[in-house]
Amino acid sequence: MKKVLVVYFTQSGQLKSIVERLTSPLRSDDQVHVDFLEIKMKNEFDFPWEKEAFFDTFPESFQQIPSEIEAPAASILTQKYDLIILGYQVWYLTPSIPINSFLKSLYAKDILKDTPVITVSGSRNMWIMAQEKIKVLIRQNEAHLVGNIALVDRAINLISVITLVDWMFTGVKKRLGGILPLPGVSESEISDSDRFGTIILKYLKSPSFHGMQEELIQNKAVEVRHFLVSMDKKANKMFTLWSKWILSRNSKSRKRWLKVFNYYLFFAIWFISPIVHLIHLILYPLFYAKIKREQQYYKGIQ
């Protein structure tokens, strides 16, 4: 009997739908037992978000400052698993506070040590640098990354900003104006994610997971858009400055600077990012070889 643990956090329910659908082939196999561990915070994050609360999470999110989580069940802490599937969202270009808090908790190493891990992200579109941070946390817990699946909102960048923000602050997933696409990972992609589970099941039953990521890539588990990689890297540099500055302020000053950050973020998304995109298109032929190398790296698990 192969034992699999699915660790995840969800607010809207989207990531729960993803990991349930993805693992359906494993749960249908009588030689595999699947447990689910939903990360619960001592102080929960409400959904839909209040705007002030959403921006208030920025400094701690980006600086990966953990918060206290509820203890996993003793049956999970005492179990040795053959595979762990780690489902996470991206908050401010970084693994969400709940997932970061779990990976930095006293429980994580007991659960993850010497165990193969597959990461599954559900995000708007920029997940590359968050995944790099996840890799570090997995190594710190002495686990082994063997696969990665990145599901994203495939709408045009600026359109997905509009639709996702509306979903976050209203809690209602809808087509704005009856025209714009639904926010988040599409229902068809969630439904089709069981094909990844079929691939995972094959390797779970084999002697090793060697070659699994390549097969996942062939089945479109990961798409790397280099413009978004470039934006992700640049934004990480700016977020480093902003988050350190805001964390250094007192509570009253913090609120004021978070409002300033809100205006900066609006300007960066709507004015800076289109310019960066245009420059990227112009310079693309000059950096073609480097771009292809980076795309190959970010699709992998090294």
Side-chain angles (χ1 to χ4, degrees), residues 136-202:
V136 172
L137 293 170
I138 288 173
R139 286 196 297 269
Q140 289 175 350
N141 284 291
E142 300 179 33
H144 314 292
L145 182 64
V146 297
N148 178 45
I149 298 164
L151 301 181
V152 299
D153 185 329
R154 297 196 179 274
I156 295 169
N157 187 42
L158 294 180
I159 289 178
S160 70
V161 171
I162 297 169
T163 57
L164 191 67
V165 166
D166 179 75
W167 184 23
M168 287 194 310
F169 293 151
T170 67
V172 180
K173 195 172 186 178
K174 61 181 181 291
R175 293 182 182 275
L176 285 175
I179 299 173
L180 296 184
L182 288 171
V185 180
S186 71
E187 291 301 321
S188 61
E189 285 212 48
I190 294 174
S191 179
D192 289 345
S193 65
D194 60 350
R195 71 185 188 278
F196 304 133
T198 300
I199 295 169
I200 293 168
L201 178 61
K202 180 176 75 172

Side-chain angles (χ1 to χ4, degrees), residues 47-168:
F47 187 82
W49 286 94
E50 292 289 337
K51 187 175 181 180
E52 185 176 338
F54 173 73
F55 283 101
D56 192 51
T57 64
F58 161 65
E60 286 76 13
S61 291
F62 188 78
Q63 289 296 327
Q64 295 183 266
I65 299 171
S67 295
E68 197 173 359
I69 65 171
E70 299 285 353
S75 58
I76 288 176
L77 292 171
T78 56
Q79 189 70 258
K80 179 59 182 173
Y81 291 96
D82 299 288
L83 174 67
I84 291 173
I85 296 174
L86 180 67
Y88 74 96
Q89 306 95 339
V90 177
W91 290 8
Y92 293 105
L93 312 180
T94 306
S96 70
I97 287 177
I99 288 296
N100 179 68
S101 299
F102 165 73
L103 290 172
K104 290 187 173 183
S105 72
L106 298 174
Y107 315 111
K109 186 170 284 188
D110 288 339
I111 295 172
L112 272 73
K113 187 176 180 180
D114 298 325
T115 306
V117 176
I118 297 172
T119 48
V120 180
S121 59
S123 64
R124 187 174 73 84
N125 54 23
M126 286 199 285
W127 57 270
I128 293 289
M129 291 299 106
Q131 179 68 7
E132 291 300 292
K133 295 167 190 177
I134 281 281
K135 289 178 183 178
V136 172
L137 293 170
I138 288 173
R139 286 196 297 269
Q140 289 175 350
N141 284 291
E142 300 179 33
H144 314 292
L145 182 64
V146 297
N148 178 45
I149 298 164
L151 301 181
V152 299
D153 185 329
R154 297 196 179 274
I156 295 169
N157 187 42
L158 294 180
I159 289 178
S160 70
V161 171
I162 297 169
T163 57
L164 191 67
V165 166
D166 179 75
W167 184 23
M168 287 194 310

